[in-house]
Amino acid sequence: NNGNGLLMILGGTNTQEGKLMIYDENTFGANADFKSNVVIGDSTCHHIAYVRNGNIGLIYIDGINVGSHTTNFILSANDLYSLGQEWDDLTTTPLTSQFYNGDMDDFRVWNTSRTATEIQNNMNVQLVGNEPNLLAYYTFNQGISGGNNSGVTTLIDNTANGLNGMLNSFALNGPTSNWVVNPCDSIVTDVSENIAFEKESITLYPNPNRGQFTIDMEDVKEALVEIYDIRGQKVFTESNVNSKGLINITDQPTGFYFVKITSGNNIKVKKIIKN
């Protein structure tokens, strides 16, 4: 009927409260099927995943399942897909509205229902593009950041499927409405992993946990432990952690964290989930 099938927006149809809201074809014009408790419109980086499993839609924010909804929309080969704005009924003018006020990077579409483990293990890793079941993959690594990109209007699909997108109504010159540097890159560089600790076995358990976990470091007497959240902010530091140190971050919100372990010139970074 030329209407929306699935709509994911940040804010709301009438308010900009900074929460993730999801509508399907049965709820447009009414209350959202789903609204996150957490505010993600906070000028920091977040990872969002939406998984369709049967008639259930599962929502993950920063690797954590934050809720679900029942949905009946059916995807068709004739459907239109848009990023960064709502595509309105084709009989109205203008066709587009509710533009996204923010940056977007590393957008992926899979043809299978991704598990929580798959989401957590790959959410901060750039893919190759040939991964099994990867239908479309957009890294947005094009143009000159903030420069004159008037001719760079195609968004390249990095899979062999060639499902390229087209940029519409972008200024393509200057620091906004353009190809820009991903502001989340510092998450990786702040806690980049050194391949030292070759002979030592370092494990974190339990993982996931509720805020308390043990770092088991074989053949390491003590180490400096630093923990970063998904935004790259350091939330925990403790020196002289012994070979089986107990770490407590119960004061931190649920989410995905990087644990950086330093002993001498050796550095290791591990992932952990608090739920």
Side-chain angles (χ1 to χ4, degrees):
N1 61 0
N2 293 332
N4 289 292
L6 176 67
L7 178 65
M8 302 175 64
I9 60 178
L10 181 62
T13 55
N14 297 310
T15 63
Q16 293 299 319
E17 55 188 321
K19 296 183 177 181
L20 177 65
M21 304 179 76
I22 296 178
Y23 299 79
D24 72 10
E25 59 188 358
N26 298 316
T27 57
F28 290 120
N31 293 328
D33 269 18
F34 169 84
K35 181 169 71 172
S36 65
N37 291 322
V38 61
V39 173
I40 58 175
D42 55 359
S43 299
T44 57
C45 301
H46 292 280
H47 179 274
I48 298 170
Y50 180 86
V51 178
R52 172 72 180 268
N53 193 338
N55 66 340
I56 300 298
L58 302 169
I59 301 94
Y60 294 81
I61 297 178
D62 297 334
I64 301 297
N65 179 219
V66 294
S68 64
H69 73 117
T70 302
T71 182
N72 296 304
F73 70 87
I74 299 174
L75 298 179
S76 166
N78 296 321
D79 287 340
L80 298 172
Y81 297 86
S82 61
L83 308 179
Q85 52 91 87
E86 178 191 359
W87 192 285
D88 289 318
D89 189 308
L90 295 180
T91 62
T92 64
T93 302
L95 299 179
T96 56
S97 66
Q98 296 181 318
F99 293 92
Y100 176 58
N101 181 18
D103 299 319
M104 186 181 299
D105 194 25
D106 215 68
F107 189 90
R108 310 164 183 187
V109 181
W110 304 83
N111 62 13
T112 58
S113 297
R114 302 285 281 175
T115 67
T117 299
E118 288 172 327
I119 292 171
Q120 293 160 5
N121 287 345
N122 292 278
M123 55 190 276
N124 291 308
V125 177
Q126 184 162 305
L127 306 180
V128 176
N130 60 357
E131 287 77 3
N133 302 311
L134 184 61
L135 182 64
Y137 180 38
Y138 308 102
T139 61
F140 300 82
N141 294 341
Q142 299 166 237
I144 300 171
S145 177
N148 187 344
N149 295 295
S150 58
V152 190
T153 58
T154 300
L155 174 63
I156 296 174
D157 173 19
N158 289 271
T159 74
N161 296 320
L163 299 172
N164 296 335
M166 181 64 66
L167 272 64
N168 292 297
S169 303
F170 278 80
L172 292 177
N173 196 358
T176 61
S177 189
N178 197 2
W179 302 96
V180 296
V181 169
N182 174 16
C184 305
D185 282 344
S186 60
I187 294 174
V188 178
T189 57
D190 285 347
V191 291
S192 57
E193 180 174 350
N194 188 319
I195 59 173
F197 281 109
E198 291 181 353
K199 296 182 180 180
E200 294 83 358
S201 175
I202 299 178
T203 57
L204 279 57
Y205 61 87
N207 189 15
N209 60 73
R210 296 190 178 277
Q212 288 188 320
F213 62 93
T214 296
I215 300 180
D216 191 343
M217 300 176 287
E218 183 180 333
D219 297 330
V220 177
K221 293 183 178 180
E222 61 182 28
L224 167 68
V225 174
E226 301 166 285
I227 299 179
Y228 296 78
D229 64 16
I230 192 67
R231 298 166 292 183
Q233 296 179 338
K234 187 186 297 185
V235 299
F236 176 92
T237 302
E238 185 172 332
S239 58
N240 303 321
V241 176
N242 61 37
S243 59
K244 285 196 175 181
L246 179 64
I247 304 299
N248 189 330
I249 56 169
T250 54
D251 59 330
Q252 296 298 320
T254 59
F256 181 93
Y257 292 88
F258 296 102
V259 181
K260 182 179 180 181
I261 303 160
T262 305
S263 178
N265 294 323
N266 300 325
I267 299 172
K268 190 73 174 179
V269 177
K270 308 285 281 186
K271 304 173 186 176
I272 202 159
I273 298 291
K274 180 190 174 188
N275 59 23

